[in-house]
Amino acid sequence: MLPSPLLLSPWRWFTDYYFEYTECDSTGSRWRVAIPQHPGACTGLPAPVRGTECTFSCKAGEFLEMSAQECTQCAAGSYSLGSGIRFDQWDYMPIGFSSLATSLENSLPGYNSLTCNSSSWAPQGNYLESNRDECTVSLIYAVHLKKQGSVSFDYQYPDSNLLFEFFIQNDQCQEMDQSDDKKWLKLTKHGEWATHTVNVSQRLVVLRWGKKVVNPALLKNIHIEGVAYTSECFPCKPGSFSRVPGSSSCEPCPRDTYSGHGASSCTPCNTSTQYAAEGSGSCKDRPPCSMKDYFQIHTACDQERKTQVIFKWVEPKICLENVTGAVTLPPSGEREPCPPCNPGFYNNDTATCSPCPPGTFSDGMKPCQQCPAGSEPTLGYEYKWWNVLPSNMKTSCFNVGNSKCDSMNGWEVAGNHIQAGAGSSDNDYLILNLHVPGFKLPTSVSSHSGEEFGRITFEFETSCTADCELYFMMDVNRKSTKIVESWEKNKTRQTYTHIMTKNASVSYTWAFQRTNQASDVSGTPDTCVFVFQEHSLCYSDCHFTYTEGNATLTFDFSSLGPVGSLMNGPSFTSKGTKYFHHFNISICGGKLAVCTDNVTDLSITDSQREKEGPNAITTFICQSTIIPASGRGFHTALSSQSINLADTFVGTTVDNNLEGISVTPDLFPKTSKKVPDVNFYYRSLETTSSCESGRSVVVTLRCNPDKSTTGELSVPSQCPAGTCDGCTFQFLWESSGACPTCTERDYHQIEGVCKGGNQDLLYVWNEPKLCMGGVPLPAKKTQTCEGIEFWIQLGAGLGAFTAVLLVSLTCYFWKKNKRLEYKYSRLVMSANKECEMPVADSCAVMEGENEADMEDEVVYTKPSLLGKLKAIASKRNGDNYENVQLNSAHSKTLVWS
């Protein structure tokens, strides 16, 4: 039989005996009996009397006074739960709790007895902590319940690799039926407490909290409801009080007050020299103020777009200014112009920055504008300026055993960086959280992204006078928080990048902790820059269309690859050191170029340089100076002096100028004008002493079918460094991938010979071929055709017909001509014949002719074809003559028509 919890009456320690109830019988009755403090030490004990009903219990704020068996109010300075038990003070392990270590899975025989006997749950003041070794240890508590009750407790369980369960057993140590949501505890966020409640109906129950794996689980505020009675009141713990009798709980003492054990009121501290946090059991002396007791902030921008650096004491202020060795609060700085908005935001003549509308971009200093044709906005968060905390970020301070920092900001904005705050004590976790609802890849790379959906890049630096650690954690879809990377002690400024391989909602957390009583920590870490999801800049989507006349050329530059590289040189310094200029160029596709700088100190070793990590510049076009490994005796090549040449995409055009940036065509003479060069224009907003307006870059893409798709980069021969004036850079990128996509205009048809009534149609590219991809060549076709024999036969037939027709016409007209000649000769002979007969005034009139119808003229009318046919027919019938009208008296003119 497992023991029930031991509850003592207030007068138990001052008498020779005490009262207890017997076990309840089958009728629900019990007896009150007197039990000597020491067996056999006294005689004359009170006789047993019938006790209260087994289900009897007192209300909250009361206890059962056993001598009178009546409920009595708790005195001031104490409290009771009536029919409940609460454990909220963990300075020691309360009576009834025990730890049970079990064998590890797959462990050798005897391993548990050798290594796990000393493993147990340990009290830590305000909470209970599980073991930190690899042993499996259960926390057990047995309790008698006289009625249906419940068990509730607060816990921390942030690690999904940790198996943390809570289950209830009966008096036979058999596990009771529980649903999975009651047995397996839900994960908690880092630093947050969750409450778990289970209803219990058994009489005798055993509560077990089980944990596996190294990371600890935490418990506090265990509350059990349903016990039979409370035979005593619990005194208020130090730092709390109950003002009136019959209290069911104790209140914490206000700040700058304290209380001892079982107090009914709190005592004020001498605030001139002492202080006390809320819920303190004693007062502490105020230390002299130091630099860790204040912090600086930038005020929010006012209507005049002005800000000011001011200093504030860490609240609550516990230090003294007017003592030896104390520092005073520095004066506020001058009002100065606010920093520009972060990329993707704009200022609409107010004190705040607003995000750009969809489809537009801004560098933070100019109004939002539409992306140029053929480009799309890059979606991402980019935080360069820290005047106010972004809306999707939260900061907090957390300490498991110390609630003093709960109301403090863990991180403070500081103009061009954000830095960890002072915290309230060592071992505080200073937390910064960034929430990203999801990722959206650029349209031009969505089908070529592989496993990358997004990335986060931040720059940081830690400076600690004692031990410290920075954690970078990630929570995907609010399931569990895992540590991605951590850094200990001092770290020089460096950049870290994490790639996302799935599209999900993500919360990124940075937690900084100072340990080992670090007394002076300044700006740790003092810089963080995040890159993610807002409209920050525009870039080309790898497509460009150009129309001239009726011809339209479409370009697809995605085959050029995400980043092109060019190393020119070598060049030599005045001391003979050889070096190269290395350029990385990204024209489209969303992936930016990166130039690293792995030179921090020439005296450090290569292993140290690898450990510290290189600094990097991420932009469209960048330049590094490369010193080869053999140049100065290094084991690896050095990359230094990385500079940003282009961080803004201006646009794409075939013109030689765009928004004040010009191309010099003579630097890259063209050999063909069939396909125009396409110019990508970029600008850098960073000014230098020699380039007051910043740098500009033009990358000229030229179609060259003799090059590969990735092509070849080059610089002007007149300017081997890529620039002739130090401010304007020009590059030529020749590639077959820079040719326009093929269309139907880029090939022609060839007809084959006709054989057997069939003819092949072939398609070939126009030479030279100046296109890539697009429309493919059509397949060979076959069509029916007519051979040469048919046309010869047709021509011979037509020729024979024509010859017969010509012969017939010739014969016809010859014969007709002869007849006319004969008639004419007859007329002439008749006119010249001398005879006795008088000369006729007119030609003879044949029988049947009407003389009255004759004219004065001789008219010959050319018969029609039908008439000729009739004439031929009439000849055959004997009418062998024609009528000719002669009238010499009136006219001597003969007319044939």
Side-chain angles (χ1 to χ4, degrees):
M1 179 70 69
L2 293 170
S4 61
L6 185 62
L7 300 177
L8 305 179
S9 299
W11 42 267
R12 175 173 176 172
W13 299 104
F14 307 103
T15 61
D16 294 330
Y17 59 90
Y18 62 94
F19 293 110
E20 274 194 5
Y21 283 121
T22 63
E23 291 293 332
C24 293
D25 56 24
S26 59
T27 63
S29 301
R30 58 184 174 181
W31 293 81
R32 188 200 71 177
V33 296
I35 300 175
Q37 295 282 0
H38 304 284
C42 63
T43 59
L45 292 175
V49 297
R50 184 173 292 275
T52 60
E53 296 294 329
C54 290
T55 58
F56 175 83
S57 62
C58 296
K59 295 186 299 183
E62 298 178 341
F63 72 99
L64 181 62
E65 204 282 310
M66 292 293 290
S67 60
Q69 298 193 79
E70 294 179 353
C71 292
T72 305
Q73 283 190 340
C74 293
S78 63
Y79 73 98
S80 79
L81 300 175
S83 60
I85 308 171
R86 178 185 296 163
F87 301 96
D88 56 6
Q89 185 66 24
W90 302 96
D91 296 321
Y92 56 88
M93 187 68 76
I95 297 175
F97 283 89
S98 62
S99 296
L100 176 62
T102 57
S103 301
L104 295 174
E105 297 179 1
N106 302 323
S107 62
L108 297 175
Y111 180 84
N112 175 60
S113 60
L114 294 176
T115 60
C116 294
N117 282 346
S118 59
S119 299
S120 65
W121 287 69
Q124 300 292 340
N126 291 328
Y127 62 93
L128 195 62
E129 182 183 68
S130 66
N131 56 305
R132 290 178 173 267
D133 53 31
E134 297 182 354
C135 297
T136 301
V137 180
S138 297
L139 178 67
I140 301 175
Y141 183 74
V143 61
H144 283 278
L145 297 183
K146 297 303 180 181
K147 60 181 180 180
Q148 184 172 348
S150 62
V151 178
S152 66
F153 54 89
D154 297 338
Y155 70 94
Q156 276 195 20
Y157 169 35
D159 190 353
S160 60
N161 296 318
L162 174 68
L163 300 180
F164 190 32
E165 60 180 343
F166 169 69
F167 56 94
I168 303 173
Q169 295 175 327
N170 58 21
D171 55 354
Q172 302 299 321
C173 294
Q174 295 174 341
E175 185 175 345
M176 298 170 54
D177 292 336
Q178 290 178 257
S179 59
D180 289 342
D181 62 331
K182 297 299 182 182
K183 178 178 179 180
W184 298 103
L185 303 181
K186 297 180 180 180
L187 290 171
T188 61
K189 294 183 179 180
H190 185 81
E192 294 185 1
W193 291 92
T195 300
H196 188 73
T197 302
V198 178
N199 294 325
V200 182
S201 59
Q202 292 288 327
R203 296 295 183 181
L204 175 63
V205 294
V206 180
L207 311 179
R208 295 188 62 154
W209 293 265
K211 165 262 176 191
K212 298 179 181 180
V213 185
V214 178
N215 295 334
L218 309 180
L219 284 175
K220 70 176 184 178
N221 295 336
I222 299 176
H223 186 138
I224 303 172
E225 188 70 32
V227 298
Y229 60 90
T230 299
S231 60
E232 68 172 347
C233 293
F234 298 94
C236 294
K237 64 181 181 180
S240 64
F241 71 101
S242 62
R243 176 176 292 112
V244 296
S247 298
S248 60
S249 62
C250 296
E251 302 176 31
C253 287
R255 193 171 62 193
D256 292 333
T257 64
Y258 72 98
S259 69
H261 192 78
S264 59
S265 63
C266 298
T267 305
C269 298
N270 181 4
T271 55
S272 61
T273 58
Q274 293 179 319
Y275 75 98
E278 183 182 10
S280 295
S282 62
C283 294
K284 297 180 180 179
D285 292 334
R286 294 182 179 271
C289 291
S290 64
M291 295 180 62
K292 65 174 293 186
D293 293 311
Y294 66 84
F295 60 94
Q296 74 170 35
I297 62 171
H298 285 67
T299 60
C301 293
D302 56 22
Q303 295 297 328
E304 298 179 359
R305 294 290 299 168
K306 296 285 187 178
T307 185
Q308 184 181 22
V309 175
I310 62 174
F311 297 87
K312 290 187 174 182
W313 294 111
V314 175
E315 294 294 340
K317 181 185 176 185
I318 61 173
C319 64
L320 295 175
E321 300 179 59
N322 302 321
V323 296
T324 304
V327 300
T328 58
L329 198 64
S332 299
E334 297 291 333
R335 294 178 71 248
E336 55 187 19
C338 288
C341 297
N342 281 310
F345 290 78
Y346 72 102
N347 178 257
N348 53 357
D349 296 329
T350 64
T352 60
C353 295
S354 303
C356 287
T360 63
F361 76 102
S362 173
D363 57 7
M365 295 183 288
K366 299 178 182 178
C368 299
Q369 54 185 314
Q370 294 288 336
C371 288
S375 66
E376 59 181 324
T378 301
L379 300 181
Y381 293 134
E382 184 176 3
Y383 299 124
K384 294 181 177 180
W385 308 105
W386 300 89
N387 196 53
V388 294
L389 194 68
S391 59
N392 62 338
M393 281 189 172
K394 295 189 299 182
T395 178
S396 60
C397 177
F398 169 75
N399 191 324
V400 175
N402 179 14
S403 61
K404 291 184 294 183
C405 76
D406 290 349
S407 60
M408 301 178 63
N409 286 334
W411 295 64
E412 299 290 348
V413 294
N416 62 352
H417 65 274
I418 184 171
Q419 63 187 15
S424 64
S425 64
D426 299 323
N427 300 321
D428 288 345
Y429 284 98
L430 307 176
I431 297 174
L432 181 67
N433 178 268
L434 167 66
H435 178 66
V436 179
F439 301 87
K440 182 181 180 182
L441 284 174
T443 305
S444 55
V445 298
S446 58
S447 59
H448 310 287
S449 60
E451 295 184 352
E452 180 176 342
F453 280 87
R455 59 176 56 199
I456 179 172
T457 300
F458 60 92
E459 184 179 344
F460 71 96
E461 176 183 354
T462 61
S463 176
C464 312
T465 57
D467 290 342
C468 62
E469 191 164 7
L470 173 66
Y471 299 91
F472 173 53
M473 297 172 286
M474 179 176 66
D475 180 5
V476 179
N477 290 331
R478 299 186 181 274
K479 290 185 177 179
S480 63
T481 301
K482 66 176 183 178
I483 297 177
V484 180
E485 189 60 82
S486 63
W487 299 268
E488 296 180 352
K489 300 182 179 180
N490 293 331
K491 294 296 178 185
T492 57
R493 182 167 297 189
Q494 56 189 273
T495 300
Y496 180 80
T497 298
H498 176 72
I499 296 177
M500 286 297 300
T501 57
K502 63 183 297 186
N503 190 3
S505 174
V506 183
S507 289
Y508 295 101
T509 301
W510 293 261
F512 178 73
Q513 184 186 39
R514 306 177 180 95
T515 57
N516 291 347
Q517 298 181 349
S519 58
D520 184 14
V521 182
S522 58
T524 313
D526 67 1
T527 304
C528 283
V529 177
F530 305 96
V531 179
F532 254 142
Q533 187 177 344
E534 269 300 337
H535 309 309
S536 57
L537 68 156
C538 287
Y539 62 93
S540 171
D541 60 359
C542 296
H543 294 84
F544 177 72
T545 301
Y546 171 69
T547 301
E548 183 177 6
N550 295 327
T552 298
L553 300 179
T554 302
F555 297 82
D556 183 359
F557 302 119
S558 57
S559 60
L560 293 176
V563 178
S565 297
L566 168 66
M567 182 179 291
N568 62 356
S571 301
F572 297 87
T573 65
S574 58
K575 296 184 178 181
T577 301
K578 182 169 64 174
Y579 66 93
F580 299 85
H581 281 147
H582 184 265
F583 300 92
N584 284 333
I585 299 176
S586 171
I587 62 168
C588 65
K591 185 174 182 180
L592 299 179
V594 178
C595 290
T596 59
D597 186 350
N598 60 5
V599 178
T600 54
D601 187 350
L602 296 181
S603 64
I604 66 174
T605 63
D606 291 339
S607 61
Q608 290 175 322
R609 186 176 292 111
E610 275 183 22
K611 184 176 180 181
E612 295 295 335
N615 293 323
I617 291 178
T618 302
T619 184
F620 286 110
I621 303 173
C622 56
Q623 172 190 312
S624 297
T625 301
I626 306 297
I627 301 175
S630 59
R632 296 191 62 178
F634 299 118
H635 297 292
T636 59
L638 298 182
S639 175
S640 64
Q641 300 179 5
S642 297
I643 58 176
N644 170 24
L645 299 181
D647 53 19
T648 302
F649 174 61
V650 179
T652 307
T653 181
V654 298
D655 298 333
N656 290 332
N657 56 77
L658 182 66
E659 295 189 13
I661 305 175
S662 300
V663 177
T664 306
D666 296 339
L667 295 180
F668 301 112
K670 293 189 61 175
T671 58
S672 174
K673 295 184 179 180
K674 293 184 178 180
V675 178
D677 291 343
V678 180
N679 299 316
F680 281 70
Y681 290 85
Y682 299 88
R683 177 179 285 116
S684 173
L685 302 178
E686 298 179 1
T687 60
T688 63
S689 57
S690 57
C691 304
E692 296 181 356
S693 300
R695 299 183 179 93
S696 59
V697 180
V698 181
V699 181
T700 300
L701 299 187
R702 177 171 295 173
C703 172
N704 189 339
D706 297 330
K707 301 290 184 181
S708 64
T709 54
T710 56
E712 179 180 317
L713 276 164
S714 61
V715 295
S717 57
Q718 302 93 318
C719 311
T723 177
C724 298
D725 58 3
C727 298
T728 302
F729 290 76
Q730 297 193 43
F731 300 92
L732 176 64
W733 197 334
E734 294 183 280
S735 166
S736 58
C739 297
T741 55
C742 297
T743 64
E744 289 81 358
R745 298 188 306 271
D746 296 305
Y747 62 81
H748 61 276
Q749 175 182 294
I750 298 179
E751 298 180 351
V753 297
C754 184
K755 293 183 179 180
N758 293 322
Q759 183 183 38
D760 291 337
L761 299 180
L762 303 177
Y763 299 89
V764 296
W765 295 111
N766 300 332
E767 292 295 338
K769 181 187 177 184
L770 298 176
C771 66
M772 288 290 293
V775 177
L777 278 177
K780 182 178 71 173
K781 299 179 181 178
T782 301
Q783 65 181 11
T784 59
C785 61
E786 301 292 343
I788 187 63
E789 296 84 358
F790 169 79
W791 294 108
I792 292 177
Q793 293 175 1
L794 180 61
L798 291 175
F801 174 77
T802 303
V804 171
L805 180 62
L806 290 175
V807 170
S808 300
L809 292 175
T810 302
C811 293
Y812 168 75
F813 287 111
W814 179 80
K815 191 173 182 179
K816 184 176 182 179
N817 186 53
K818 286 295 185 182
R819 187 164 50 248
L820 291 175
E821 287 180 357
Y822 171 74
K823 292 181 178 182
Y824 181 73
S825 63
R826 291 285 300 272
L827 290 173
V828 172
M829 292 175 61
S830 298
N832 297 329
K833 185 177 179 180
E834 297 179 0
C835 60
E836 295 178 357
M837 297 178 68
V839 178
D841 293 333
S842 63
C843 294
V845 178
M846 299 298 293
E847 184 179 355
E849 294 180 340
N850 188 0
E851 185 176 359
D853 297 332
M854 296 296 179
E855 300 279 341
D856 290 338
E857 297 176 337
V858 177
V859 179
Y860 173 76
T861 302
K862 184 177 180 179
S864 63
L865 179 61
L866 183 60
K868 292 177 181 180
L869 295 176
K870 290 180 178 181
I872 295 173
S874 62
K875 289 178 182 180
R876 294 177 180 176
N877 295 329
D879 298 334
N880 191 13
Y881 60 88
E882 293 182 5
N883 294 331
V884 179
Q885 181 179 349
L886 298 176
N887 190 349
S888 57
H890 299 282
S891 175
K892 295 182 179 181
T893 303
L894 300 180
V895 179
W896 287 268
S897 60

